[in-house]
Amino acid sequence: MSLIHEQAAFLKDIRKLLDFADAKNYVVTAGELGRSAETQSMYLRSHRSETMDDMHLRQCAIDLYFFLDESDHLQLVTSVDRLEEIGKAWEDLDPRNRWGGHREGAATETPRFERDLGPGR
């Protein structure tokens, strides 16, 4: 499948995830989708990333932020436990979908949702 088709399939899954989150009463905002090689290189040098083959470079990763409305006040939800059903729903959509909340150790990133396309194309 071409990269464009992979990106389109990724975004269709994101749309499904957003519908799922909406049904659970989450307010969702988005952060980074695409990323330049220069930014990735800076992240690598500053140890914010471990590779130059990040899915953000191929526009197959996005950072999503989940909020719950608590007494007219939006509360950002970052706990792996509280977002587990969101992460599981994402990973159930496609076997290549990965949620950052399931990363081991210090690299846990609950906002990160990606499709693993394998090594760089």
Side-chain angles (χ1 to χ4, degrees):
M1 189 182 303
S2 72
L3 180 56
I4 290 172
H5 285 102
E6 291 285 6
Q7 291 166 340
F10 169 73
L11 288 176
K12 285 179 182 178
D13 278 358
I14 290 294
R15 181 178 58 218
K16 292 174 189 174
L17 182 68
L18 292 174
D19 288 342
F20 178 82
D22 186 56
K24 300 290 182 180
N25 297 314
Y26 282 98
V27 174
V28 184
T29 64
E32 189 174 33
L33 170 63
R35 183 182 294 163
S36 70
E38 293 80 14
T39 299
Q40 185 64 27
S41 180
M42 179 186 69
Y43 286 172
L44 193 61
R45 285 191 309 274
S46 65
H47 305 285
R48 289 183 59 193
S49 184
E50 299 171 354
T51 181
M52 278 301 291
D53 189 27
D54 189 280
M55 291 302 118
H56 280 291
L57 292 166
R58 295 190 249 170
Q59 295 180 354
C60 283
I62 190 169
D63 297 332
L64 297 175
Y65 300 93
F66 296 84
F67 297 83
L68 287 173
D69 195 350
E70 297 177 355
S71 304
D72 292 331
H73 163 241
L74 289 175
Q75 180 66 42
L76 177 63
V77 179
T78 59
S79 160
V80 171
D81 291 339
R82 289 188 65 193
L83 291 172
E84 180 65 33
E85 70 177 334
I86 300 289
K88 182 174 178 352
W90 172 248
E91 291 178 344
D92 286 349
L93 290 171
D94 188 284
R96 297 171 300 157
N97 287 352
R98 302 284 180 265
W99 175 49
H102 286 156
R103 286 187 178 181
E104 297 294 322
T108 299
E109 276 185 277
T110 56
R112 186 180 176 100
F113 295 81
E114 70 177 27
R115 172 157 298 168
D116 184 357
L117 301 181
R121 302 175 116 172

